[in-house]
Amino acid sequence: MPKGTVVIDRERCKGCGLCLALCPEDVLAYSADYNQSGYNVVYMERPERCIGCAFCAQTCPDIAIEVYREKKSQQRE
Amino acid sequence: MTGNEAMAEAAICAGCRAYFGYPITPQNEILEYMATRMPGVGGAFIQAESEVAAINMCYGASAAGVRTMTSSSSPGISLKMEGISYLAGADLPCVIINVARGGPGLGNISPAQGDYFQATKGGGHGDYRMIVLGPATIAEAIEMVMLAFDLADKYRVPVMILSDGMLGQMMEPITLPEPVDPASLPGKPWALTGARGRHPNVVTSYAIDPGDLSQINTKRQSRYHQIEEKEVRYRETETSDATIVIVAYGTVARIARTAVRMARSQGIKLGMMQPITLWPFPYAPLRTLSSRVNTILTVEMSAGQMIEDVRLAVADRAETPFYGEVGGLVTTPKDILREVKRNVS
Amino acid sequence: MSVNMDNMVKVFERPRSLTDAQFSYCPGCHHGLVTRIIAHTIDELGIQDRAVIVASVGCSVTMYEWFRCDGIQAAHGRACAVATGIKRVNSNLIVFTYQGDGDLAAIGTAESIHAANRGENITVIFINNQIYGMTGGQMAPTTLLGQRATSCPDGRNAQLAGYPIRFAEVIAQLDAPVYVTRQALYDQKRIMAASRAIKKAFQCQIDGKGYSLVEILTNCPTNWRMSPVESNSYVMNQVVGTFPLGDLVDRG
């Protein structure tokens, strides 16, 4: 169970790459997908490594990323 | 009370609670008067760092829904032209007093009327109009300041009082109007008061899509047409049997009244038509007047600016000679009478 | 590997004080980031119904469209005067300007300095990306020596165009300002510091303490002709050298 996950708003993402650079766990990458504006959309290539630190969302200039983190009680040991 | 102080007090009577100015002769008394009076009525007063800053402070205060005024003189008014265009473009009411002086450039501080074009033909950029009122006496100036605030709010336009150094500096006994309580004024739902329980208000003149801007401008132009239909004001003196009529505004109108009396005493059928609203200009009344008068003599303290509007109204129905004084020279009743005699056929 | 969402809690979301409008900024432009930080600050401080945005002229010209707050468009360079006019007639409003380097430190120098010198109780957000973005990349008063721009194609030459102006330091010389700081956004630490600074500036105003200025070193990938990620390292390695970060005045 990953500690966190993100949801990327496909249409807001402009493929600027700032989130890729800032993600400490190298979770994100460019997908093969393009949105209506023609931007190459980012996705979670390695979702299992996401720790829900929200660095990506904090640096996203288009606020395209929502971040979720595992509830405390559910976390193993 | 000087004309300047009277206009400042009239503004406060009209419920003006924000004044931003800058020193420039011959209107400093307005700034100084407001410096002492405005805090006393709980209003905002700033001597700004420039006329440009002052007009933009007005833009902000007016957008916040408060009756706002600034004043300056010719060179300072030139600096405010961009701001006036923005006021017009954002549909914001504001009263601007120009105590005009000799120009162009630094010119001098004598009374002059060389700012007519700038005031009535739009000194700023874009399709906008500004109501321009031309008082000839301090009593008229007081009345017009009150009127200016009402018209500005009614039509959401900038309104200018175009007076000059003479009117500003002279003294006359006056009676002050009943002060208006700002709280009693009609509400301004469009004002910036904080988007509590309502959609946000935006005050802007920006519209990147030409279609949008065209629509906004067209709506505003229809308001201007309403003003042209309903708000024209002028005064006629002894024109019913006149064969020659002077057209003059402001200080020159005051001087010309004496010339009319002198002419009448010498059996010359001289009358006078004094535009009060320089925009909207009284074309229609002047046109009817020109059909029963042979000569319409325009007199200005300038090289001839209002003359163009007179000729627009009169066309070839009557002679339209011009007599002007430039450089800040003030005409006299005798000068005017001499010109009248020269043009009496 | 499906993620069981129901035991996940949302820890980061879009600020409430923003509309759903999409930003018109170029990909990777920090304007959107500063807008988010301001919006999150407005949410945290609960001032959405008291805030008034004074937008300047530049890439952020329609900034008020992003917010659920009252907004006004100021002429180029005049935002501080407009903000002054608003605040002076209604001190209950939380008034902030959002200006670029050309708007604040070139054409609007007088308005910017005198609003600070009068100690107007407003917050000035100063976006310093050393270039005129909207108009296509001309030199700004903060353009670095040797930095290329369309109006200094061979790089800024001090003999012809003087030196980059350190505006926060200019304002810091005045007695009235209460909080003056310079921040940046090129990494997570900077973003958090900038967020704290912006919140502190707004708190200054809410508490009625007086004038606050937050200068933020931002990027312009398009006119700098580099990728957003490269622009971040450019700010870190080049720009900060001329524009040191940190609080310059803190009388709050």
Side-chain angles (χ1 to χ4, degrees):
Chain A
M1 250 309 279
K3 294 210 193 58
T5 188
V6 297
V7 172
I8 296 175
D9 181 329
R10 191 172 166 285
E11 288 314 316
R12 281 186 193 281
C13 172
K14 291 179 182 165
C16 74
L18 285 178
C19 54
L20 306 188
L22 224 59
C23 174
E25 303 300 329
D26 197 18
V27 171
L28 303 168
Y30 281 107
S31 70
D33 184 14
Y34 288 82
N35 66 16
Q36 275 164 10
S37 315
Y39 290 120
N40 185 342
V41 182
V42 167
Y43 82 119
M44 295 216 302
E45 197 174 67
R46 290 165 288 277
E48 69 290 353
R49 303 179 56 169
C50 175
I51 58 172
C53 67
F55 280 19
C56 57
Q58 282 164 10
T59 190
C60 175
D62 286 279
I63 326 174
I65 305 174
E66 277 187 348
V67 183
Y68 297 81
R69 202 176 293 154
E70 220 174 27
K71 285 200 186 91
K72 289 282 173 304
S73 57
Q74 245 72 39
Q75 270 166 354
R76 286 183 300 282
E77 71 284 4
Chain B
M1 200 177 237
T2 66
N4 281 337
E5 288 158 345
M7 288 192 281
E9 184 54 36
I12 292 193
C13 289
C16 171
R17 288 301 178 271
Y19 172 85
F20 310 100
Y22 189 82
I24 182 168
T25 303
Q27 60 83 55
N28 299 311
E29 295 77 13
I30 299 178
L31 176 78
E32 290 156 354
Y33 189 88
M34 285 301 200
T36 46
R37 269 292 266 139
M38 197 54 97
V41 292
F45 168 85
I46 297 179
Q47 178 182 310
E49 57 272 24
S50 75
E51 288 93 345
V52 176
I55 192 75
N56 280 285
M57 290 176 189
C58 288
Y59 181 87
S62 172
V66 171
R67 282 193 159 182
T68 304
M69 183 171 94
T70 185
S71 65
S72 187
S73 175
S74 309
I77 296 292
S78 294
L79 288 176
K80 292 180 193 288
M81 279 297 145
E82 180 201 40
I84 288 172
S85 173
Y86 270 78
L87 285 166
D91 299 317
L92 285 177
C94 185
V95 173
I96 303 110
I97 296 181
N98 178 6
V99 184
R101 58 187 258 175
L106 190 54
N108 58 30
I109 57 171
S110 308
Q113 297 184 325
D115 300 357
Y116 181 91
F117 281 155
Q118 179 190 57
T120 59
K121 306 303 174 188
H125 59 284
D127 279 315
Y128 78 93
R129 287 295 192 164
M130 178 163 63
I131 295 176
V132 182
L133 305 171
T137 67
I138 295 183
E140 279 182 14
I142 290 168
E143 193 194 314
M144 286 184 204
V145 166
M146 302 291 285
L147 176 64
F149 279 102
D150 290 341
L151 291 176
D153 281 355
K154 181 178 172 188
Y155 294 100
R156 290 177 62 183
V157 287
V159 177
M160 175 177 279
I161 306 285
L162 184 55
S163 76
D164 59 54
M166 174 172 283
L167 187 74
Q169 298 300 333
M170 74 169 52
M171 277 200 166
E172 265 176 1
I174 50 150
T175 51
L176 282 172
E178 257 316 294
V180 166
D181 169 12
S184 69
L185 293 168
K188 295 177 178 174
W190 47 266
L192 305 180
T193 51
R196 185 195 310 275
R198 64 164 169 73
H199 283 298
N201 282 337
V202 170
V203 171
T204 182
S205 54
Y206 183 75
I208 193 67
D209 177 84
D212 298 344
L213 193 57
S214 166
Q215 243 178 11
I216 292 165
N217 280 356
T218 307
K219 235 180 356 177
R220 188 174 306 120
Q221 287 296 327
S222 63
R223 275 211 317 279
Y224 291 149
H225 296 321
Q226 269 177 40
I227 294 171
E228 283 169 332
E229 276 153 27
K230 296 190 201 133
E231 305 297 347
V232 170
R233 286 169 172 78
Y234 62 96
R235 182 169 294 128
E236 288 190 31
T237 315
E238 305 209 31
T239 56
S240 47
D241 65 343
T243 56
I244 174 168
V245 166
I246 288 172
V247 179
Y249 73 93
T251 293
V252 177
R254 182 196 183 101
I255 297 165
R257 273 194 200 119
T258 311
V260 169
R261 281 198 301 278
M262 289 164 68
R264 285 285 171 171
S265 66
Q266 298 173 20
I268 300 169
K269 288 198 165 75
L270 174 65
M272 186 181 76
M273 200 275 212
Q274 173 199 350
I276 306 283
T277 53
L278 303 179
W279 190 82
F281 189 78
Y283 293 112
L286 196 51
R287 193 168 303 126
T288 39
L289 197 58
S290 62
S291 51
R292 54 180 172 80
V293 167
N294 349 22
T295 308
I296 302 232
L297 169 64
T298 303
V299 183
E300 295 176 74
M301 288 193 298
S302 76
Q305 297 187 18
M306 184 175 63
I307 178 69
E308 292 192 1
D309 280 321
V310 170
R311 284 183 175 141
L312 264 179
V314 174
D316 53 8
R317 288 183 202 79
E319 296 302 316
T320 50
F322 169 75
Y323 159 55
E325 296 289 350
V326 292
L329 287 177
V330 179
T331 185
T332 66
K334 273 209 303 303
D335 296 336
I336 296 177
L337 195 54
R338 181 196 68 233
E339 288 303 316
V340 166
K341 286 177 178 166
R342 226 153 49 82
N343 284 286
V344 171
S345 43
Chain C
M1 204 199 68
S2 73
V3 173
N4 177 345
M5 286 304 279
D6 53 17
N7 60 9
M8 285 284 188
V9 61
K10 190 185 282 189
V11 292
F12 188 99
E13 63 181 333
R14 194 179 175 74
R16 293 186 307 281
S17 51
L18 283 185
T19 66
D20 292 331
Q22 291 207 314
F23 294 152
S24 54
Y25 302 120
C26 306
C29 170
H30 284 157
H31 266 307
L33 185 42
V34 180
T35 304
R36 174 189 67 71
I37 295 171
I38 292 172
H40 270 136
T41 305
I42 289 176
D43 287 359
E44 275 168 59
L45 299 173
I47 52 172
Q48 180 180 316
D49 56 11
R50 288 171 61 195
V52 175
I53 302 153
V54 182
S56 60
V57 175
C59 293
S60 61
V61 63
T62 54
M63 185 178 171
Y64 43 79
E65 279 173 11
W66 320 135
F67 284 83
R68 299 182 199 281
C69 312
D70 278 359
I72 184 167
Q73 171 67 56
H76 191 40
R78 319 304 174 201
C80 286
V82 173
T84 298
I86 296 169
K87 189 73 180 190
R88 284 292 185 108
V89 298
N90 187 347
S91 56
N92 175 53
L93 296 174
I94 302 302
V95 184
F96 69 96
T97 74
Y98 184 95
Q99 300 171 259
D101 35 49
D103 193 281
L104 184 104
I107 187 169
T109 306
E111 286 81 0
S112 308
I113 287 180
H114 286 280
N117 197 49
R118 287 190 304 268
E120 299 294 341
N121 188 24
I122 58 175
T123 301
V124 174
I125 306 293
F126 168 28
I127 304 297
N128 177 3
N129 60 2
Q130 304 95 48
I131 203 139
Y132 280 77
M134 164 76 98
T135 46
Q138 294 77 16
M139 181 181 74
T142 50
T143 295
L144 306 183
L145 287 182
Q147 183 179 352
R148 288 179 199 286
T150 55
S151 49
C152 60
D154 304 327
R156 181 173 191 168
N157 168 336
Q159 278 61 42
L160 295 176
Y163 296 83
I165 185 167
R166 281 182 273 279
F167 205 77
E169 281 78 354
V170 171
I171 295 294
Q173 304 310 312
L174 305 172
D175 295 337
V178 170
Y179 180 56
V180 179
T181 181
R182 179 178 293 116
Q183 301 291 327
L185 299 166
Y186 51 77
D187 65 21
Q188 200 269 341
K189 216 151 63 73
R190 290 290 125 224
I191 292 170
M192 297 313 289
S195 305
R196 282 192 300 275
I198 287 177
K199 185 175 180 184
K200 181 168 180 152
F202 275 95
Q203 193 62 54
C204 240
Q205 179 175 170
I206 292 168
D207 299 342
K209 291 192 181 124
Y211 177 89
S212 52
L213 168 76
V214 181
E215 175 179 343
I216 306 173
L217 300 183
T218 63
N219 66 357
C220 184
T222 301
N223 289 304
W224 289 1
R225 289 180 172 59
M226 54 179 83
S227 78
V229 174
E230 285 160 352
S231 70
N232 271 347
S233 36
Y234 176 80
V235 173
M236 185 163 61
N237 303 324
Q238 303 293 328
V239 181
V240 170
T242 300
F243 295 104
L245 301 178
D247 290 356
L248 293 111
V249 171
D250 188 354
R251 301 188 181 97

